[in-house]
Short mmCIF file of all heavy atoms in Angstrom, two decimals:
data_model
loop_
_atom_site.label_atom_id
_atom_site.label_comp_id
_atom_site.label_asym_id
_atom_site.label_seq_id
_atom_site.Cartn_x
_atom_site.Cartn_y
_atom_site.Cartn_z
N VAL A 401 -20.50 1.27 -16.10
CA VAL A 401 -20.01 0.38 -15.06
C VAL A 401 -18.74 0.99 -14.48
O VAL A 401 -17.84 1.38 -15.23
CB VAL A 401 -19.70 -1.03 -15.62
CG1 VAL A 401 -19.10 -1.91 -14.54
CG2 VAL A 401 -20.95 -1.66 -16.18
N ALA A 402 -18.68 1.08 -13.16
CA ALA A 402 -17.50 1.63 -12.50
C ALA A 402 -17.03 0.64 -11.43
O ALA A 402 -17.84 0.01 -10.76
CB ALA A 402 -17.81 2.97 -11.86
N LEU A 403 -15.73 0.53 -11.31
CA LEU A 403 -15.11 -0.30 -10.28
C LEU A 403 -14.12 0.58 -9.54
O LEU A 403 -13.22 1.16 -10.15
CB LEU A 403 -14.39 -1.49 -10.92
CG LEU A 403 -13.82 -2.52 -9.96
CD1 LEU A 403 -14.93 -3.24 -9.22
CD2 LEU A 403 -12.98 -3.52 -10.73
N ILE A 404 -14.32 0.70 -8.23
CA ILE A 404 -13.46 1.55 -7.41
C ILE A 404 -12.97 0.74 -6.22
O ILE A 404 -13.78 0.23 -5.43
CB ILE A 404 -14.23 2.79 -6.89
CG1 ILE A 404 -14.86 3.56 -8.04
CG2 ILE A 404 -13.31 3.67 -6.05
CD1 ILE A 404 -15.90 4.57 -7.60
N SER A 405 -11.66 0.58 -6.10
CA SER A 405 -11.07 -0.11 -4.95
C SER A 405 -10.24 0.89 -4.17
O SER A 405 -9.43 1.61 -4.74
CB SER A 405 -10.18 -1.27 -5.39
OG SER A 405 -10.97 -2.34 -5.84
N ARG A 406 -10.45 0.90 -2.86
CA ARG A 406 -9.72 1.81 -1.98
C ARG A 406 -9.05 0.99 -0.88
O ARG A 406 -9.72 0.26 -0.15
CB ARG A 406 -10.69 2.81 -1.34
CG ARG A 406 -11.41 3.67 -2.36
CD ARG A 406 -12.51 4.49 -1.71
NE ARG A 406 -13.71 3.72 -1.43
CZ ARG A 406 -14.74 3.61 -2.26
NH1 ARG A 406 -14.71 4.20 -3.43
NH2 ARG A 406 -15.80 2.92 -1.92
N ARG A 407 -7.74 1.12 -0.77
CA ARG A 407 -6.99 0.42 0.26
C ARG A 407 -6.84 1.34 1.46
O ARG A 407 -6.51 2.51 1.33
CB ARG A 407 -5.60 0.02 -0.25
CG ARG A 407 -4.83 -0.82 0.73
CD ARG A 407 -3.53 -1.29 0.13
NE ARG A 407 -2.85 -2.18 1.06
CZ ARG A 407 -1.58 -2.44 1.01
NH1 ARG A 407 -0.83 -1.91 0.07
NH2 ARG A 407 -1.03 -3.25 1.88
N SER A 408 -7.07 0.79 2.64
CA SER A 408 -6.98 1.59 3.85
C SER A 408 -5.54 1.97 4.15
O SER A 408 -4.61 1.20 3.90
CB SER A 408 -7.55 0.80 5.03
OG SER A 408 -7.35 1.50 6.24
N ARG A 409 -5.37 3.15 4.72
CA ARG A 409 -4.03 3.58 5.13
C ARG A 409 -3.66 2.99 6.49
O ARG A 409 -2.51 3.01 6.90
CB ARG A 409 -3.96 5.11 5.18
CG ARG A 409 -4.88 5.72 6.20
CD ARG A 409 -4.83 7.25 6.15
NE ARG A 409 -5.86 7.84 6.96
CZ ARG A 409 -5.74 8.08 8.26
NH1 ARG A 409 -4.62 7.77 8.88
NH2 ARG A 409 -6.72 8.63 8.93
N HIS A 410 -4.65 2.45 7.20
CA HIS A 410 -4.41 1.85 8.51
C HIS A 410 -3.93 0.41 8.33
O HIS A 410 -4.57 -0.38 7.67
CB HIS A 410 -5.68 1.85 9.36
CG HIS A 410 -6.24 3.20 9.59
ND1 HIS A 410 -5.66 4.11 10.44
CD2 HIS A 410 -7.33 3.82 9.07
CE1 HIS A 410 -6.36 5.22 10.45
NE2 HIS A 410 -7.38 5.08 9.62
N ARG A 411 -2.83 0.09 8.89
CA ARG A 411 -2.30 -1.28 8.94
C ARG A 411 -1.96 -1.85 7.56
O ARG A 411 -2.07 -3.05 7.32
CB ARG A 411 -3.27 -2.18 9.68
CG ARG A 411 -2.60 -3.26 10.44
CD ARG A 411 -3.36 -3.76 11.62
NE ARG A 411 -2.88 -5.06 11.99
CZ ARG A 411 -1.66 -5.31 12.46
NH1 ARG A 411 -0.81 -4.34 12.65
NH2 ARG A 411 -1.28 -6.53 12.75
N ALA A 412 -1.54 -1.01 6.65
CA ALA A 412 -1.09 -1.49 5.34
C ALA A 412 0.29 -2.11 5.50
O ALA A 412 1.07 -1.72 6.37
CB ALA A 412 -1.03 -0.33 4.35
N GLY A 413 0.59 -3.09 4.69
CA GLY A 413 1.91 -3.71 4.77
C GLY A 413 2.06 -4.86 3.80
O GLY A 413 1.13 -5.22 3.08
N MET A 414 3.25 -5.45 3.82
CA MET A 414 3.54 -6.57 2.93
C MET A 414 2.90 -7.86 3.45
O MET A 414 2.77 -8.06 4.65
CB MET A 414 5.06 -6.80 2.85
CG MET A 414 5.79 -5.71 2.12
SD MET A 414 7.59 -5.92 2.06
CE MET A 414 7.90 -7.58 2.53
N ARG A 415 2.54 -8.71 2.51
CA ARG A 415 1.99 -10.01 2.87
C ARG A 415 3.01 -10.78 3.70
O ARG A 415 4.21 -10.69 3.46
CB ARG A 415 1.66 -10.78 1.58
CG ARG A 415 0.91 -12.03 1.85
CD ARG A 415 0.40 -12.62 0.57
NE ARG A 415 -0.45 -13.75 0.92
CZ ARG A 415 -0.72 -14.74 0.13
NH1 ARG A 415 -0.22 -14.75 -1.08
NH2 ARG A 415 -1.48 -15.72 0.52
N TYR A 416 2.55 -11.52 4.67
CA TYR A 416 3.33 -12.30 5.64
C TYR A 416 4.02 -11.41 6.68
O TYR A 416 4.50 -11.90 7.67
CB TYR A 416 4.38 -13.22 4.98
CG TYR A 416 3.78 -14.24 4.06
CD1 TYR A 416 4.18 -14.32 2.75
CD2 TYR A 416 2.80 -15.13 4.51
CE1 TYR A 416 3.63 -15.26 1.88
CE2 TYR A 416 2.24 -16.06 3.66
CZ TYR A 416 2.66 -16.13 2.36
OH TYR A 416 2.12 -17.05 1.51
N LYS A 417 4.09 -10.12 6.45
CA LYS A 417 4.70 -9.23 7.44
C LYS A 417 3.64 -8.48 8.24
O LYS A 417 3.89 -8.08 9.37
CB LYS A 417 5.64 -8.22 6.75
CG LYS A 417 6.82 -8.85 6.05
CD LYS A 417 7.69 -9.66 6.98
CE LYS A 417 8.52 -8.78 7.88
NZ LYS A 417 9.35 -9.53 8.82
N ARG A 418 2.47 -8.24 7.65
CA ARG A 418 1.41 -7.50 8.34
C ARG A 418 0.15 -8.37 8.31
O ARG A 418 -0.40 -8.62 7.25
CB ARG A 418 1.16 -6.17 7.62
CG ARG A 418 0.12 -5.32 8.25
CD ARG A 418 0.55 -4.62 9.49
NE ARG A 418 1.59 -3.67 9.13
CZ ARG A 418 2.29 -2.98 10.01
NH1 ARG A 418 2.05 -3.11 11.28
NH2 ARG A 418 3.22 -2.16 9.62
N ARG A 419 -0.26 -8.83 9.47
CA ARG A 419 -1.41 -9.73 9.58
C ARG A 419 -2.31 -9.31 10.73
O ARG A 419 -1.89 -8.59 11.63
CB ARG A 419 -0.93 -11.18 9.84
CG ARG A 419 -0.14 -11.80 8.71
CD ARG A 419 -1.01 -12.00 7.53
NE ARG A 419 -0.49 -13.07 6.68
CZ ARG A 419 -0.86 -13.25 5.45
NH1 ARG A 419 -1.73 -12.46 4.91
NH2 ARG A 419 -0.39 -14.23 4.74
N GLY A 420 -3.55 -9.79 10.73
CA GLY A 420 -4.44 -9.65 11.87
C GLY A 420 -4.97 -8.26 12.12
O GLY A 420 -5.07 -7.42 11.23
N VAL A 421 -5.31 -8.02 13.38
CA VAL A 421 -5.97 -6.79 13.83
C VAL A 421 -5.04 -6.02 14.76
O VAL A 421 -4.14 -6.62 15.37
CB VAL A 421 -7.31 -7.14 14.53
CG1 VAL A 421 -7.09 -7.84 15.86
CG2 VAL A 421 -8.22 -5.95 14.69
N ASP A 422 -5.24 -4.71 14.87
CA ASP A 422 -4.48 -3.94 15.86
C ASP A 422 -5.39 -3.53 17.01
O ASP A 422 -6.59 -3.87 17.03
CB ASP A 422 -3.80 -2.71 15.21
CG ASP A 422 -4.76 -1.64 14.73
OD1 ASP A 422 -5.97 -1.70 15.05
OD2 ASP A 422 -4.31 -0.74 14.01
N LYS A 423 -4.87 -2.81 17.98
CA LYS A 423 -5.63 -2.46 19.19
C LYS A 423 -6.82 -1.56 18.92
O LYS A 423 -7.73 -1.45 19.74
CB LYS A 423 -4.71 -1.81 20.22
CG LYS A 423 -4.14 -0.50 19.77
CD LYS A 423 -3.22 0.09 20.80
CE LYS A 423 -2.69 1.41 20.21
NZ LYS A 423 -1.99 2.18 21.15
N ASN A 424 -6.86 -0.91 17.73
CA ASN A 424 -7.98 -0.03 17.37
C ASN A 424 -9.03 -0.72 16.50
O ASN A 424 -9.99 -0.09 16.07
CB ASN A 424 -7.46 1.21 16.63
CG ASN A 424 -6.53 2.02 17.49
OD1 ASN A 424 -6.79 2.25 18.67
ND2 ASN A 424 -5.41 2.44 16.91
N GLY A 425 -8.82 -1.99 16.18
CA GLY A 425 -9.78 -2.73 15.35
C GLY A 425 -9.50 -2.65 13.87
O GLY A 425 -10.31 -3.11 13.06
N ASN A 426 -8.36 -2.07 13.47
CA ASN A 426 -7.99 -2.03 12.05
C ASN A 426 -7.35 -3.35 11.66
O ASN A 426 -6.48 -3.84 12.36
CB ASN A 426 -7.00 -0.89 11.79
CG ASN A 426 -7.57 0.46 12.14
OD1 ASN A 426 -8.63 0.81 11.67
ND2 ASN A 426 -6.87 1.20 12.97
N VAL A 427 -7.77 -3.90 10.52
CA VAL A 427 -7.18 -5.15 10.06
C VAL A 427 -6.15 -4.87 8.98
O VAL A 427 -6.22 -3.87 8.27
CB VAL A 427 -8.25 -6.15 9.54
CG1 VAL A 427 -9.17 -6.59 10.66
CG2 VAL A 427 -9.01 -5.60 8.37
N ALA A 428 -5.20 -5.76 8.86
CA ALA A 428 -4.13 -5.62 7.88
C ALA A 428 -4.68 -5.70 6.46
O ALA A 428 -5.58 -6.49 6.17
CB ALA A 428 -3.08 -6.71 8.10
N ASN A 429 -4.13 -4.85 5.61
CA ASN A 429 -4.40 -4.87 4.17
C ASN A 429 -5.89 -4.87 3.82
O ASN A 429 -6.35 -5.62 2.98
CB ASN A 429 -3.66 -6.04 3.52
CG ASN A 429 -2.18 -5.90 3.71
OD1 ASN A 429 -1.61 -4.86 3.41
ND2 ASN A 429 -1.54 -6.91 4.26
N TYR A 430 -6.62 -3.97 4.45
CA TYR A 430 -8.05 -3.83 4.26
C TYR A 430 -8.33 -3.07 2.95
O TYR A 430 -7.71 -2.04 2.68
CB TYR A 430 -8.63 -3.04 5.43
CG TYR A 430 -10.11 -2.79 5.36
CD1 TYR A 430 -11.00 -3.74 5.81
CD2 TYR A 430 -10.60 -1.60 4.85
CE1 TYR A 430 -12.37 -3.51 5.76
CE2 TYR A 430 -11.96 -1.35 4.80
CZ TYR A 430 -12.84 -2.31 5.25
OH TYR A 430 -14.19 -2.08 5.20
N VAL A 431 -9.24 -3.61 2.14
CA VAL A 431 -9.61 -2.99 0.86
C VAL A 431 -11.14 -2.99 0.75
O VAL A 431 -11.79 -3.99 1.01
CB VAL A 431 -9.01 -3.76 -0.34
CG1 VAL A 431 -9.46 -3.15 -1.66
CG2 VAL A 431 -7.50 -3.81 -0.26
N GLU A 432 -11.68 -1.84 0.33
CA GLU A 432 -13.10 -1.73 0.03
C GLU A 432 -13.22 -1.59 -1.48
O GLU A 432 -12.59 -0.71 -2.07
CB GLU A 432 -13.68 -0.49 0.71
CG GLU A 432 -15.14 -0.26 0.35
CD GLU A 432 -15.61 1.13 0.73
OE1 GLU A 432 -15.19 2.10 0.05
OE2 GLU A 432 -16.37 1.24 1.70
N THR A 433 -14.03 -2.44 -2.10
CA THR A 433 -14.26 -2.38 -3.54
C THR A 433 -15.74 -2.14 -3.79
O THR A 433 -16.58 -2.89 -3.30
CB THR A 433 -13.80 -3.68 -4.23
OG1 THR A 433 -12.41 -3.86 -3.98
CG2 THR A 433 -14.06 -3.62 -5.73
N GLU A 434 -16.02 -1.10 -4.56
CA GLU A 434 -17.40 -0.78 -4.90
C GLU A 434 -17.60 -0.96 -6.40
O GLU A 434 -16.81 -0.48 -7.20
CB GLU A 434 -17.74 0.66 -4.50
CG GLU A 434 -19.19 1.01 -4.73
CD GLU A 434 -19.59 2.33 -4.09
OE1 GLU A 434 -18.71 3.06 -3.59
OE2 GLU A 434 -20.80 2.62 -4.08
N GLN A 435 -18.66 -1.67 -6.75
CA GLN A 435 -19.04 -1.86 -8.14
C GLN A 435 -20.32 -1.06 -8.36
O GLN A 435 -21.30 -1.24 -7.65
CB GLN A 435 -19.31 -3.34 -8.41
CG GLN A 435 -18.12 -4.22 -8.13
CD GLN A 435 -18.50 -5.68 -8.07
OE1 GLN A 435 -19.16 -6.19 -8.98
NE2 GLN A 435 -18.10 -6.36 -7.01
N LEU A 436 -20.29 -0.17 -9.34
CA LEU A 436 -21.44 0.69 -9.63
C LEU A 436 -21.93 0.42 -11.04
O LEU A 436 -21.13 0.28 -11.97
CB LEU A 436 -21.05 2.16 -9.53
CG LEU A 436 -20.64 2.64 -8.15
CD1 LEU A 436 -19.78 3.88 -8.26
CD2 LEU A 436 -21.86 2.92 -7.32
N ILE A 437 -23.25 0.36 -11.20
CA ILE A 437 -23.86 0.27 -12.51
C ILE A 437 -24.89 1.38 -12.59
O ILE A 437 -25.76 1.50 -11.72
CB ILE A 437 -24.54 -1.09 -12.75
CG1 ILE A 437 -23.50 -2.21 -12.70
CG2 ILE A 437 -25.30 -1.10 -14.08
CD1 ILE A 437 -24.08 -3.59 -12.82
N HIS A 438 -24.77 2.23 -13.63
CA HIS A 438 -25.72 3.32 -13.84
C HIS A 438 -26.46 3.07 -15.14
O HIS A 438 -25.85 3.00 -16.21
CB HIS A 438 -24.98 4.66 -13.88
CG HIS A 438 -25.91 5.82 -14.04
ND1 HIS A 438 -26.62 6.34 -12.99
CD2 HIS A 438 -26.26 6.54 -15.13
CE1 HIS A 438 -27.36 7.35 -13.42
NE2 HIS A 438 -27.16 7.48 -14.72
N VAL A 439 -27.79 2.92 -15.05
CA VAL A 439 -28.61 2.66 -16.22
C VAL A 439 -29.99 3.28 -16.00
O VAL A 439 -30.52 3.22 -14.89
CB VAL A 439 -28.71 1.14 -16.53
CG1 VAL A 439 -29.35 0.38 -15.40
CG2 VAL A 439 -29.42 0.89 -17.84
N HIS A 440 -30.54 3.92 -17.03
CA HIS A 440 -31.87 4.54 -16.96
C HIS A 440 -32.01 5.48 -15.77
O HIS A 440 -33.00 5.44 -15.04
CB HIS A 440 -32.97 3.48 -16.88
CG HIS A 440 -33.01 2.57 -18.06
ND1 HIS A 440 -33.37 2.99 -19.32
CD2 HIS A 440 -32.72 1.25 -18.17
CE1 HIS A 440 -33.32 1.97 -20.14
NE2 HIS A 440 -32.92 0.91 -19.48
N ASN A 441 -31.03 6.29 -15.52
CA ASN A 441 -31.04 7.23 -14.40
C ASN A 441 -31.12 6.57 -13.03
O ASN A 441 -31.54 7.18 -12.06
CB ASN A 441 -32.16 8.26 -14.55
CG ASN A 441 -31.95 9.13 -15.76
OD1 ASN A 441 -30.82 9.52 -16.06
ND2 ASN A 441 -33.02 9.42 -16.47
N HIS A 442 -30.76 5.31 -12.96
CA HIS A 442 -30.69 4.58 -11.69
C HIS A 442 -29.25 4.14 -11.49
O HIS A 442 -28.58 3.70 -12.43
CB HIS A 442 -31.59 3.35 -11.70
CG HIS A 442 -33.03 3.67 -11.85
ND1 HIS A 442 -33.80 4.17 -10.82
CD2 HIS A 442 -33.86 3.57 -12.91
CE1 HIS A 442 -35.03 4.36 -11.23
NE2 HIS A 442 -35.09 3.99 -12.51
N THR A 443 -28.79 4.22 -10.27
CA THR A 443 -27.45 3.75 -9.95
C THR A 443 -27.55 2.62 -8.92
O THR A 443 -28.20 2.78 -7.88
CB THR A 443 -26.57 4.88 -9.39
OG1 THR A 443 -26.51 5.93 -10.36
CG2 THR A 443 -25.17 4.39 -9.09
N LEU A 444 -26.94 1.50 -9.23
CA LEU A 444 -26.89 0.35 -8.34
C LEU A 444 -25.46 0.22 -7.82
O LEU A 444 -24.51 0.41 -8.56
CB LEU A 444 -27.28 -0.92 -9.09
CG LEU A 444 -28.61 -0.86 -9.85
CD1 LEU A 444 -28.74 -2.05 -10.77
CD2 LEU A 444 -29.76 -0.80 -8.88
N SER A 445 -25.34 -0.14 -6.55
CA SER A 445 -24.02 -0.25 -5.94
C SER A 445 -23.91 -1.55 -5.17
O SER A 445 -24.86 -1.97 -4.50
CB SER A 445 -23.80 0.94 -5.00
OG SER A 445 -22.64 0.76 -4.23
N PHE A 446 -22.76 -2.18 -5.27
CA PHE A 446 -22.45 -3.37 -4.47
C PHE A 446 -21.06 -3.15 -3.88
O PHE A 446 -20.12 -2.86 -4.61
CB PHE A 446 -22.46 -4.63 -5.34
CG PHE A 446 -22.06 -5.87 -4.59
CD1 PHE A 446 -22.94 -6.48 -3.71
CD2 PHE A 446 -20.80 -6.42 -4.75
CE1 PHE A 446 -22.58 -7.61 -3.00
CE2 PHE A 446 -20.42 -7.55 -4.05
CZ PHE A 446 -21.31 -8.15 -3.18
N ILE A 447 -20.95 -3.26 -2.57
CA ILE A 447 -19.68 -3.05 -1.90
C ILE A 447 -19.20 -4.35 -1.28
O ILE A 447 -19.95 -5.07 -0.63
CB ILE A 447 -19.79 -1.96 -0.82
CG1 ILE A 447 -20.14 -0.62 -1.47
CG2 ILE A 447 -18.49 -1.85 -0.03
CD1 ILE A 447 -20.35 0.51 -0.50
#
């Protein structure tokens, strides 16, 4: 089982100081978390 969280470098900031979207469509404090399970030579992923 693997858990990987990646925080975007675009629009990162402190809570209450960085909110919403910018002109390029980047949202504040964006995080992608992927959960991986590898069993019997199969890998399952949920993002």
Side-chain angles (χ1 to χ4, degrees):
V401 176
L403 186 67
I404 306 166
S405 286
R406 300 171 282 268
R407 185 175 184 200
S408 174
R409 63 184 170 86
H410 301 288
R411 212 153 160 66
M414 291 178 14
R415 189 170 186 203
Y416 300 124
K417 297 301 286 178
R418 181 76 66 187
R419 295 293 205 196
V421 69
D422 67 11
K423 64 181 179 170
N424 299 316
N426 299 307
V427 295
N429 298 308
Y430 179 84
V431 177
E432 176 194 72
T433 300
E434 184 168 9
Q435 301 166 51
L436 296 157
I437 298 176
H438 182 79
V439 62
H440 299 292
N441 296 321
H442 297 284
T443 302
L444 308 168
S445 170
F446 177 75
I447 296 177

